[in-house]
Amino acid sequence: MSLPPLAAWPREGLAGASLLGRPASAELPVSACMWGGRPCCWSGESPPEKGEEDKPLPVTPTDAALPPPSSSPNPWEKEGSQQKFQLERLRKAFGASITPHGEVLIGEYLRGWKELIKLMDSLGTAFRLISRETSSKITLMQDHHSGLHGPHYHTVQSMVTFELANGLVGFQFLPAGRPPSGCRTLLRLHRALKWLELFLHKLGTSGKDEEPSQMCASAYQEALAPYHSWWVRQAAALAFMALPSRRELLHTVCAEEEQKARSLLHATVRTLFDVYNITQEVYAAHLMLELP
């Protein structure tokens, strides 16, 4: 991917791309929604009035049959959040998110993302925007998962059913007076999961002379670039250039000898592939893959 010289970039373009390592005051605001390339928080609308977001939603007849809402805190605040990234923890969390009936448990899904956040943080300050944007999406999903209507956010499938039945998805725009729906928010994580799945697959099957920056850029072009603005794509390209060497990255991903790292990467990628495909089928069945 060819990039224009930095001197040729407009000042507002550099300030809007915190992947370039600009000061925090110049970083792209979280509302810019990196994963969707569009504003996420009440874009073009007035913020909800005080107390508006707390109004109860209709209770469906299935409420009694649903599990109680989760009382656990944000998944990255505890459970060893200070520990270093571990690929095996990542694999187990996402593996545990798939039920015997082929549903995806949102709580375990978010725990898997907690490990992916650690992975992105380990890639250096250039990935700060990606990590921060992802964390904002996880926070929104955790709020849905542990909130008043938490039982409906037990699985991806129950979330979709609930939000469709109550007109909360927002196929054209955000429902007035409410934060982004669970369906819209999880779609951003879903797209990003494909990027990281492809990247880890390329890393696990790479040769000694292949560069992680090229692998990451290739995975990004396939999974995320179509949803991003030109400036975000250029900022991402620069971030990928800062990736460590293949040997260093394999050690970061799995502090074992290369053959074991490859084996664990293969198992992890297979798990991410399964979680992604189940979610993809649910969204495709309800024509929600292109939610704004």
Side-chain angles (χ1 to χ4, degrees), residues 52-124:
E52 178 72 20
E53 65 274 13
D54 297 325
K55 290 183 179 180
L57 295 172
V59 178
T60 67
T62 59
D63 280 352
L66 292 167
S70 170
S71 59
S72 60
N74 287 350
W76 59 93
E77 291 179 351
K78 290 190 178 180
E79 302 176 10
S81 60
Q82 300 304 314
Q83 297 177 354
K84 291 183 178 180
F85 169 74
Q86 286 190 10
L87 191 62
E88 180 63 10
R89 265 204 309 263
L90 168 65
R91 185 192 65 79
K92 287 182 177 179
F94 277 107
S97 73
I98 303 177
T99 73
H101 301 292
E103 295 184 304
V104 176
L105 298 169
I106 290 178
E108 297 301 327
Y109 183 91
L110 296 179
R111 289 186 179 90
W113 263 107
K114 176 191 70 173
E115 290 301 317
L116 286 175
I117 288 288
K118 293 180 188 177
L119 172 60
M120 287 189 285
D121 286 343
S122 72
L123 298 180

Side-chain angles (χ1 to χ4, degrees), residues 169-186:
V169 174
F171 282 92
Q172 301 299 327
F173 52 85
L174 290 171
R178 294 190 181 276
S181 67
C183 290
R184 290 165 63 117
T185 303
L186 190 130

Side-chain angles (χ1 to χ4, degrees), residues 210-225:
E210 294 186 65
E211 292 292 335
S213 58
Q214 293 300 317
M215 302 177 212
C216 198
S218 175
Y220 173 81
Q221 286 297 321
E222 182 175 343
L224 277 177

